[in-house]
Amino acid sequence: TRSTRPQRLLGAVQKNATRGDPGSVIQAIDHYCRNKEWAMNVGDEKGCILDSVVSEVNPATVLELGTYCGYSTVRIARLLPPHAKLITLEFNPAVAAIARQVIAWAGLEDKVQLVEGASGDFIPRIKEQFGVKTFDLVFLDHWKEYYLPDTKLMEECGLLRKGSVLLADNVVCPGAPDYLEYVRSSPRYESRYFKSHLEYTKVEDGLEKSVFLG
Ligand SMILES: CCc1ncnc2c1ncn2[C@@H]1O[C@H](/C=C/CNC(=O)c2cc(-c3ccc(F)cc3)cc(O)c2O)[C@@H](O)[C@H]1O
Ligand SMILES: [Mg+2]
């Protein structure tokens, strides 16, 4: 039977990237998705904004919602300090299996804990199961209707502290209007929009960076 898009993306990594070299994994995926087959990775343009936020926050604990093929997981993990941890949640087992191989190809498996399951089920269990008190950075890139409920859930579970940074992909395209309204109007967040483009296209999109004020 025909391969899946994630399988073909992994093939491009294994063919064109150097094992243990995260930069070459990122480059291989971007080249494949720009020239052969589009895929919903955060991409190189928004990826540079992600890089700058990760470097600024210099997080010890990161949560990523929606691993997909692991492109942003690799982008984030490659910038983390030695003992920092990135927990990434992925709902679809077949996609998770691809992401594990992409993360391993980049040589970043020691910094990443990929958990299979729905964010709503896992967020309440993260504290006791993964020994995390709060997250310094959360990257939201899963199904857009889950951005708001999962943010409220993270608040309720005490996973955010004064200064925790939420960075949300796709706030324009496909869009997350209820989430945007919430973080921009709530007195508990200081929110800022980073204008960019939908990965590998000229369509407008952007990232919303929201600092939790406690
Ligand atoms: C249950 C909660 C929950 N828990 C755990 N994992 C979850 C989950 N909900 C979803 N996942 C996994 O995350 C990934 C989905 C990500 C969803 N992302 C977009 O839809 C998207 C679309 C475009 C775009 C598409 C078409 C266009 F024309 C334009 C733009 C661009 C983008 O950058 C995009 O991120 C998959 O691996 C899911 O298995
Ligand atoms: Mg996205």
Side-chain angles (χ1 to χ4, degrees):
T1 57
R2 180 171 152 71
S3 63
T4 66
R5 190 180 304 231
Q7 284 169 330
R8 293 191 292 273
L9 186 147
L10 172 62
V13 168
Q14 293 169 332
K15 179 163 175 273
N16 303 310
T18 308
R19 271 186 181 284
D21 177 354
S24 74
V25 168
I26 292 164
Q27 229 164 32
I29 294 172
D30 284 331
H31 187 270
Y32 179 75
C33 294
R34 186 176 290 284
N35 299 295
K36 299 279 187 330
E37 183 178 27
W38 188 92
M40 59 183 177
N41 315 119
V42 73
D44 43 359
E45 192 179 316
K46 288 186 289 178
C48 284
I49 300 168
L50 171 62
D51 290 356
S52 64
V53 172
V54 173
S55 302
E56 175 205 349
V57 175
N58 197 33
T61 55
V62 185
L63 175 64
E64 175 179 61
L65 301 175
T67 316
Y68 191 47
C69 295
Y71 174 89
S72 48
T73 320
V74 167
R75 278 205 88 109
I76 296 167
R78 86 191 201 284
L79 298 176
L80 293 181
H83 305 292
K85 286 299 289 176
L86 193 171
I87 296 174
T88 183
L89 300 184
E90 175 51 55
F91 179 72
N92 179 323
V95 171
I98 299 293
R100 289 188 201 287
Q101 295 173 78
V102 169
I103 293 158
W105 200 272
L108 294 168
E109 55 275 50
D110 294 349
K111 290 184 180 292
V112 176
Q113 181 142 22
L114 195 164
V115 180
E116 287 180 40
S119 50
D121 298 341
F122 266 91
I123 286 172
R125 302 213 296 257
I126 285 177
K127 270 189 191 276
E128 89 263 4
Q129 216 163 23
F130 298 99
V132 168
K133 285 195 359 287
T134 57
F135 286 105
D136 301 321
L137 174 66
V138 181
F139 183 55
L140 298 93
D141 195 20
H142 56 340
W143 284 326
K144 310 314 161 192
E145 62 271 24
Y146 287 94
Y147 282 20
L148 184 53
D150 283 351
T151 297
K152 290 183 173 173
L153 191 54
M154 286 187 285
E155 288 176 18
E156 285 152 23
C157 296
L159 286 168
L160 304 178
R161 49 117 178 127
K162 189 172 168 30
S164 290
V165 172
L166 304 185
L167 189 65
D169 190 24
N170 310 117
V171 294
V172 167
C173 176
D178 57 346
Y179 172 80
L180 268 193
E181 163 60 29
Y182 179 74
V183 290
R184 288 177 177 175
S185 63
S186 164
R188 302 182 77 186
Y189 291 91
E190 183 58 46
S191 214
R192 179 184 160 193
Y193 175 60
F194 289 79
K195 184 175 178 183
S196 183
H197 294 94
L198 176 68
E199 48 268 27
Y200 319 117
T201 78
K202 291 184 169 41
V203 173
E204 183 182 340
D205 188 22
L207 301 171
E208 188 81 0
K209 178 191 172 197
S210 307
V211 183
F212 186 62
L213 303 174

